Amino acid sequence: MILDWHFYALAIPAVILLGLAKGGFAGIGALSLPMLTFAIDPVRAAAILLPILIAQDLVGVWAFRRTVDWRVLGWMMPGAVLGIWLGYAFAASVSPLGVMAAVGAISMVFGAYRLWAARHAAAPRETARWPEWVGSLFGVASGFTSQIAHAGQPPFQLWVLPRNLGRDVLIGTTAIFFAAINWIKVPAYAALGQFTRANLLTAAVLLPLALVSTFAGVWLVRRIAPDRFYTAIYCLMILVGAALIWEALR
């Protein structure tokens, strides 16, 4: 397993953010991979986080398995599979610095989107009038960004939120979609040679912290006003993304 203290100095807060995101602070987990990229190769960082994400998905899938819009998933999932394959092909053919730059760009776009969404609470209604097959294109974008940076939420939300799903149906559909694509990503990361003993042991060491953080997120989200917290995280996401791009290009 990884023994470098510098890695854990970044991995511990990154995994805490991942747990808090699953516990109710939606979106902040997208900062986890960019943080780890300062310590290790971005593809390796994503592979370490993937088993943790899969374990966390089990709770949401079990809790909301009966409240799912299968029509939305039916249109988005084929595109997501294609997007994951494109993300794999990109990671397999581009240098680590190229992947780092892509992670940085995705981080900046994600942070900017979330800041914009916070100021414009109503989701764009235009997409609600588009043909359902367009959902497959959003699925491609979600699959690609998820494969590269575990950041598939913005394309997913841009398509799904205007559907005006009920709360539990939205949560259930989101849980099933990302649980499915996380499992679909497993062969891609295996093909990239990233499920090494060291990576899996490192993920196992970090998993308990992620689970505790998930329950902490459930407790905290009901007790604090998260607005300023979210704003700080998304601004940090933009700065981290810019730093990764700078690091990759210099």
Side-chain angles (χ1 to χ4, degrees):
M1 58 178 284
I2 297 175
L3 298 176
D4 181 11
W5 69 268
H6 180 231
F7 167 79
Y8 287 100
L10 292 167
I12 289 173
V15 169
I16 290 173
L17 287 175
L18 205 61
L20 292 176
K22 290 292 185 179
F25 292 91
I28 66 172
L31 183 57
S32 299
L33 180 64
M35 288 176 63
L36 288 185
T37 300
F38 284 111
I40 59 175
D41 178 285
V43 178
R44 186 181 188 188
I48 289 172
L49 291 179
L50 184 56
I52 297 173
L53 288 168
I54 289 173
Q56 291 175 318
D57 286 335
L58 294 175
V59 177
V61 169
W62 178 258
F64 294 96
R65 66 192 184 279
R66 294 188 176 90
T67 54
V68 180
D69 189 318
W70 294 105
R71 189 175 185 86
V72 168
L73 293 182
W75 281 108
M76 292 198 75
M77 194 58 68
V81 174
L82 175 59
I84 290 169
W85 182 86
L86 292 173
Y88 158 74
F90 178 83
S93 60
V94 175
S95 70
L97 288 179
V99 178
M100 178 185 288
V103 170
I106 291 170
S107 178
M108 292 184 69
V109 171
F110 189 105
Y113 164 73
R114 297 296 301 207
L115 288 174
W116 178 87
R119 290 180 175 273
H120 303 80
R125 300 297 174 188
E126 291 78 7
T127 61
R129 298 193 292 268
W130 291 351
E132 287 184 306
W133 63 264
V134 178
S136 296
L137 302 181
F138 282 90
V140 172
S142 186
F144 181 84
T145 53
S146 184
Q147 171 68 24
I148 295 297
H150 295 321
Q153 282 277 356
F156 177 84
Q157 291 176 346
L158 283 170
W159 179 250
V160 174
L161 291 184
R163 310 297 107 190
N164 291 319
L165 304 180
R167 185 199 65 177
D168 287 356
V169 174
L170 175 61
I171 296 173
T173 303
T174 303
I176 295 292
F177 179 79
F178 285 103
I181 66 174
N182 281 336
W183 274 106
I184 295 169
K185 287 187 287 188
V186 169
Y189 281 100
L192 290 169
Q194 290 299 323
F195 288 138
T196 63
R197 177 182 175 85
N199 287 352
L200 292 175
L201 284 175
T202 302
V205 167
L206 293 170
L207 179 58
L209 178 61
L211 296 177
V212 170
S213 300
T214 301
F215 289 109
V218 173
W219 185 83
L220 285 171
V221 77
R222 299 171 180 171
R223 289 167 173 80
I224 68 173
D227 293 349
R228 292 184 179 179
F229 178 67
Y230 276 131
T231 300
I233 289 292
Y234 298 140
C235 288
L236 181 59
M237 198 172 294
I238 294 172
L239 293 175
V240 167
L244 288 176
I245 293 174
W246 171 260
E247 188 71 19
L249 297 179
R250 69 180 183 146

